[in-house]
Amino acid sequence: MLFGRKDRKPIKIVEKPVKEWKYTTCGYCSTGCSIEVGIDEDGKAVGTRGDTGADVNRGKLCIKGIFEHQLFDSEGRGGQPLMRDKFYQDFKPASWDQALDKTAAEFKRIQEKYGKDSVAVVSTGQIFTEEFYTLGKLVRGCIGTNHYDGNTTLCMASAVSGYKRSFGSDGPPGCYEDFEHTECLIAWGSNLPEQHPIIYWRLKEALEKRKFPVIVVDPRVTMLAQFADIHLPITPGTDVVLQNSLMHVILAEGLEDRDYINANTQGIEEVEALVKDYDPVSASKICGIDEDTIRNVARLYAKAGAAMSIWTMGINQSTHGSDGVVGINNLNLITGNIGKPGGTSLSITGQCNAMGTREWSSCSGLPGYRALENEEHRQEIADFWGIDADFFPTKRGMQQTDIFPAIETGQIKSLWLIATNPMTSMPQTSRIRKTLEKLEFLVVQDSYRDVETNQYSHVYLPGSVWAEKEGCFTNTERRVNLVRKVVEPYANSKPDFWIFNEMVKRFENGQKINFPDTTAEAFEEMRQLSKGDGRTLDISGMTHEILEEARGIHWPYREGNDSGKGDPRLYTDGKFQTKSKKANLIPLPYIENNETPCDKYPFWMNSGRVVEHFHTRTKTGKLGNLNKFSPTPYMEMNPDAAAELGVAHQSYVRIVSRRGDAVVMVQLTQRVPRNMVFIPFHFHDCVNRVSLGLLDPHSRQPAFKQCAIKIEPVDQSVAGQLNAERRGY
């Protein structure tokens, strides 16, 4: 039964004859599944299936992939540019020239009045790599603002920061094949069965062939925790304490790989000195894991012939997110588990092309992992693009989580949002609402006109969705794959690549810089920029045709390699991207700086993803076969805690923090402890009305998963009416 419904409709299998199956790549999470979309005689997409010849998913799809073909004509799609002078006025239809002229003119007006950096751009992790590259050329080379970022700051910034601090460069060093070789796996804050079902299937397949211990670190009894050999229900936000204690045991008992440490790392003395203070007895009082379990896990991991760690938002979305990633890297480095089969430190990315924005968008620097702070890099890109290097800033500007406070203080007057929805995804929704009202000019570019943030835009630009266009994604394991166009764009929506190329024509430097007409030509520029001795991000051997034939290729894949297979692992030679070529072992003192439960707000609030939804439900909320499983906000609550407060299963309650409140339906379950609740983050006006979102000092990523709330009764009829209204989306 779904939320008390007793009138469940019978399943009907509708015949959908397919005339042709077209190859493409899934546009949801970062797994990177190769799929085929079935097209009928009328040219309409009527089905989706996994590609059996692709190594990533081997014919499998999750529930979102199975129904992905329904996105093309789903409710709420934008089919026409829209304009208005004030956000509280009604939109009026506009031509593309009118909308783009208005946008460019307003950017120029505001920059002339307030300065070049008074305009900000925030993009996404869901457009093509070629589109990211083109947007970067537009922003860095033409518009000229330094305040340019992606919404990946909300999900993967801590992983990026941690990789750079440890290894000198971004780029996950492992691959899915490592499941087939590892002898021990720790999953830190990662719930694969719901977040990345096909990656979980790859893990499960490996376990069926060869048993090895799986250890899950998560405060909640997730689906993956239920399948694990050992579950460590850690106190939220204390991962660094556990990591330091594991290293304490490994080093105290001589279980480290001293030869690897001496040959390939630097900083071991400082780490050894720090972890002496994190003995299992002391650490257990902070992280909530008993001392014997800490010792047992440390020995299992260190004694394994190959051991790997994976993680997702449980690590990243914390005030210690970057440190947590460095701590995982430290653990793998001291045990010699980097760059070998089954031994890796693998972040599991969230969005289908979050990797692409990290690689080629120029958000955090310049294309191909180049840095704005590096004069040689600035000159190299300026020469390639044909502009003056002085046009580039000499350091990175604000990230997304700093851009919104800068709007509050008046530093930023105009904002361009591309395929992102901060009205639902950013912490403290009511604050974001007031922030957007302060903008002189807001542009929302999205495939859906009813995305919540569009309430405050002055111009709306309808972008084509996923396989209505053509380009590349990079998945979690650095595998580049091709998205082929399978249907024409909806109504008068346009590919993001087309929109960026048209915007370029309205800026002076757009006449100096070459902007290719096709994504394949843009990919050729990226190939040229990726070449170089010692450069890991080398795609010079790839083309769109080669990628399609191989069903995806790992980078680096250098020119002259005709095998169709790139390097699945980085740092196999022990050489890293630091000046010394050695990895950095970094001491990580734990500082408690987060909001914790108290007498007034006695519950931890945790948030996360459920398998049927993606991000802010802009897409999945429109598909009945997905939305029916959780059409309304709900909260997992422990039955014993509920009994104390008189809260019944499937009743409504009001959750309250120091920042706001929300109404949710209660689902009683033993998956959460008595002092914690769990709420899926997908729903508008819900979890982020109460979240705190303190920022990690290194990555600027918010700590979505740790804050304190209280639970109050609410009028059930009023809450029921609110629930009914929400089910309409």
Side-chain angles (χ1 to χ4, degrees):
M1 187 183 300
L2 307 178
F3 292 103
R5 280 172 47 190
K6 297 180 180 179
D7 58 337
R8 289 180 292 173
K9 304 295 187 293
I11 296 174
K12 296 180 180 179
I13 307 299
V14 180
E15 185 178 357
K16 298 177 180 179
V18 172
K19 180 181 178 181
E20 179 186 7
W21 290 97
K22 292 187 177 182
Y23 176 79
T24 190
T25 302
C26 181
Y28 277 115
C29 78
S30 69
T31 302
C33 295
S34 294
I35 67 176
E36 294 178 328
V37 176
I39 307 298
D40 67 10
E41 290 184 351
D42 298 324
K44 182 178 179 181
V46 294
T48 318
R49 68 184 185 187
D51 188 309
T52 57
D55 184 56
V56 167
N57 55 312
R58 302 171 185 178
K60 300 288 192 297
L61 287 180
C62 76
I63 188 172
K64 290 190 287 290
I66 289 170
F67 294 109
E68 194 164 12
H69 64 281
Q70 296 179 353
L71 288 176
F72 297 120
D73 56 1
S74 55
E75 187 68 26
R77 288 291 308 274
Q80 181 73 27
L82 303 172
M83 291 170 50
R84 58 188 172 189
D85 293 328
K86 303 292 184 182
F87 70 82
Y88 49 78
Q89 296 174 338
D90 291 336
F91 274 123
K92 295 181 179 179
S95 69
W96 273 103
D97 279 338
Q98 289 173 326
L100 294 173
D101 286 345
K102 173 74 171 178
T103 299
E106 282 296 291
F107 285 170
K108 291 175 183 178
R109 177 189 68 79
I110 288 168
Q111 286 182 312
E112 288 173 6
K113 184 175 181 180
Y114 302 106
K116 190 164 65 171
D117 290 336
S118 59
V119 172
V121 180
V122 177
S123 73
T124 179
Q126 296 181 60
I127 60 177
F128 297 143
T129 309
E130 299 90 340
E131 293 173 329
F132 281 131
Y133 173 69
T134 303
L135 176 61
K137 288 173 77 174
L138 168 60
V139 175
R140 293 290 185 207
C142 297
I143 297 174
T145 179
N146 194 23
H147 302 321
Y148 165 46
D149 196 24
N151 67 9
T152 45
T153 290
L154 306 183
C155 55
M156 297 311 301
S158 291
V160 173
S161 171
Y163 277 143
K164 288 181 176 180
R165 291 168 68 194
S166 294
F167 304 146
S169 176
D170 187 16
C175 60
Y176 304 155
E177 186 188 75
D178 285 318
F179 293 140
E180 299 169 16
H181 301 282
T182 195
E183 296 178 16
C184 183
L185 181 141
I186 300 182
W188 301 82
S190 177
N191 183 20
L192 288 180
E194 294 202 74
Q195 297 165 340
H196 302 87
I198 302 305
I199 300 180
Y200 171 67
W201 171 74
R202 290 287 300 269
L203 170 61
K204 189 175 180 182
E205 185 181 52
L207 284 165
E208 289 173 351
K209 294 177 180 177
R210 181 184 49 84
K211 180 59 183 168
F212 53 87
V214 173
I215 302 155
V216 172
V217 183
D218 201 299
R220 176 171 166 253
V221 186
T222 62
M223 196 177 297
L224 186 59
Q226 293 176 54
F227 297 144
D229 299 288
I230 301 174
H231 174 217
L232 308 183
I234 194 169
T235 300
T238 62
D239 304 272
V240 168
V241 176
L242 176 58
Q243 292 160 357
N244 283 342
S245 192
L246 293 173
M247 287 191 287
H248 173 101
V249 174
I250 290 169
L251 292 167
E253 297 185 3
L255 301 176
E256 74 277 14
D257 187 336
R258 188 60 63 169
D259 290 341
Y260 186 90
I261 292 170
N262 292 338
N264 303 303
T265 73
Q266 54 193 8
I268 184 61
E269 296 82 7
E270 292 84 354
V271 169
E272 285 178 316
L274 178 117
V275 300
K276 286 180 180 178
D277 296 332
Y278 290 84
D279 62 275
V281 175
S282 301
S284 66
K285 294 177 171 59
I286 303 172
C287 70
I289 308 302
D290 69 87
E291 57 178 289
D292 289 333
T293 299
I294 292 175
R295 293 190 183 96
N296 183 35
V297 170
R299 292 163 185 160
L300 276 173
Y301 203 79
K303 291 179 180 180
M308 65 184 290
S309 290
I310 63 171
W311 74 92
T312 48
M313 297 308 109
I315 288 288
N316 292 344
Q317 291 178 342
S318 165
T319 54
H320 309 102
S322 180
D323 280 356
V325 174
V326 170
I328 292 171
N329 294 338
N330 282 347
L331 186 62
N332 279 49
L333 287 166
I334 70 168
T335 55
N337 281 302
I338 292 291
K340 70 180 186 182
T344 193
S345 174
L346 182 62
S347 67
I348 308 294
T349 315
Q351 301 180 75
C352 55
N353 205 23
M355 284 290 292
T357 190
R358 289 153 64 174
E359 297 161 359
W360 292 102
S361 72
S362 302
C363 282
S364 61
L366 291 167
Y369 288 163
R370 291 173 175 86
L372 284 164
E373 293 78 6
N374 187 310
E375 185 178 358
E376 291 182 7
H377 290 177
R378 295 198 304 273
Q379 191 63 56
E380 181 183 9
I381 297 302
D383 291 343
F384 191 88
W385 288 351
I387 60 173
D388 193 325
D390 291 339
F391 193 80
F392 294 142
T394 56
K395 63 178 181 179
R396 180 181 183 173
M398 295 180 191
Q399 292 172 250
Q400 177 179 353
T401 45
D402 296 309
I403 285 172
F404 283 89
I407 297 171
E408 288 181 312
T409 58
Q411 294 169 263
I412 290 174
K413 301 292 186 178
S414 180
L415 179 63
W416 185 6
L417 295 173
I418 301 157
T420 190
N421 185 22
M423 272 288 292
T424 300
S425 62
M426 283 285 285
Q428 302 185 39
T429 303
S430 58
R431 181 181 175 187
I432 297 299
R433 189 183 297 275
K434 290 182 179 179
T435 300
L436 294 175
E437 290 177 357
K438 294 192 67 172
L439 286 166
E440 288 191 19
F441 186 67
L442 172 63
V443 182
V444 169
Q445 181 173 323
D446 201 281
S447 299
Y448 290 84
R449 68 177 184 273
D450 59 1
V451 63
E452 288 89 2
T453 307
N454 206 28
Q455 297 171 34
Y456 296 96
S457 72
H458 301 87
V459 171
Y460 166 69
L461 304 176
S464 301
V465 74
W466 174 54
E468 292 174 343
K469 51 186 183 175
E470 202 156 287
C472 293
F473 291 152
T474 306
N475 77 348
T476 282
E477 57 172 353
R478 309 181 330 279
R479 190 188 295 263
V480 184
N481 208 345
L482 184 66
V483 177
R484 284 292 187 195
K485 177 180 175 181
V486 299
V487 297
E488 291 300 316
Y490 174 81
N492 196 27
S493 66
K494 297 291 185 182
D496 299 278
F497 186 80
W498 181 92
I499 297 171
F500 301 148
N501 270 357
E502 288 297 309
M503 185 67 77
V504 162
K505 299 174 182 177
R506 291 156 170 85
F507 289 88
E508 182 180 350
N509 273 6
Q511 313 308 314
K512 302 177 183 178
I513 304 174
N514 175 55
F515 281 81
D517 294 327
T518 68
T519 54
E521 292 170 343
F523 192 83
E524 179 60 32
E525 284 196 9
M526 294 155 50
R527 289 180 62 213
Q528 298 303 316
L529 285 171
S530 75
K531 295 178 183 178
D533 291 339
R535 186 176 296 281
T536 56
L537 178 48
D538 190 330
I539 61 171
S540 59
M542 300 179 188
T543 65
H544 280 191
E545 291 71 27
I546 290 172
L547 290 171
E548 181 176 13
E549 182 179 356
R551 298 309 196 241
I553 300 174
H554 296 102
W555 60 255
Y557 187 76
R558 296 176 174 85
E559 195 171 36
N561 184 349
D562 298 323
S563 68
K565 294 184 178 181
D567 296 341
R569 298 173 188 86
L570 301 180
Y571 315 126
T572 55
D573 58 357
K575 306 298 182 185
F576 295 85
Q577 295 289 297
T578 61
K579 289 183 179 180
S580 66
K581 302 301 180 184
K582 292 188 174 185
N584 297 314
L585 287 166
I586 302 172
L588 303 169
Y590 173 73
I591 301 170
E592 178 53 71
N593 65 337
N594 217 332
E595 186 175 74
T596 57
C598 60
D599 290 342
K600 187 174 182 180
Y601 299 93
F603 290 92
W604 285 106
M605 189 195 74
N606 187 8
S607 64
R609 181 180 295 179
V610 293
V611 68
E612 61 269 19
H613 281 309
F614 187 74
H615 286 200
T616 63
R617 294 173 63 249
T618 311
K619 294 190 287 189
T620 55
K622 314 295 178 52
L623 305 185
N625 283 316
L626 300 178
N627 194 52
K628 66 183 180 183
F629 292 105
S630 52
T632 189
Y634 70 93
M635 175 181 80
E636 292 183 357
M637 186 178 186
N638 185 281
D640 297 327
E644 291 176 1
L645 296 177
V647 174
H649 182 57
Q650 294 189 345
S651 65
Y652 299 100
V653 296
R654 178 174 177 251
I655 57 171
V656 183
S657 75
R658 293 176 174 88
R659 291 151 299 280
D661 65 347
V663 174
V664 293
M665 177 182 283
V666 174
Q667 182 181 85
L668 298 185
T669 174
Q670 297 287 352
R671 295 176 71 177
V672 290
R674 290 177 66 136
N675 67 338
M676 181 183 295
V677 299
F678 171 84
I679 306 172
F681 66 66
H682 308 285
F683 299 92
H684 179 59
D685 264 348
C686 186
V687 67
N688 280 328
R689 287 175 60 89
V690 301
S691 61
L692 174 57
L694 285 178
L695 302 183
D696 179 284
H698 298 281
S699 68
R700 312 304 291 165
Q701 182 164 346
F704 285 103
K705 292 179 174 293
Q706 297 105 41
C707 77
I709 65 164
K710 59 183 176 180
I711 298 171
E712 296 180 346
V714 66
D715 185 291
Q716 296 297 296
S717 61
V718 173
Q721 179 60 38
L722 178 62
N723 174 32
E725 293 171 2
R726 284 171 167 166
R727 283 178 182 237
Y729 177 66

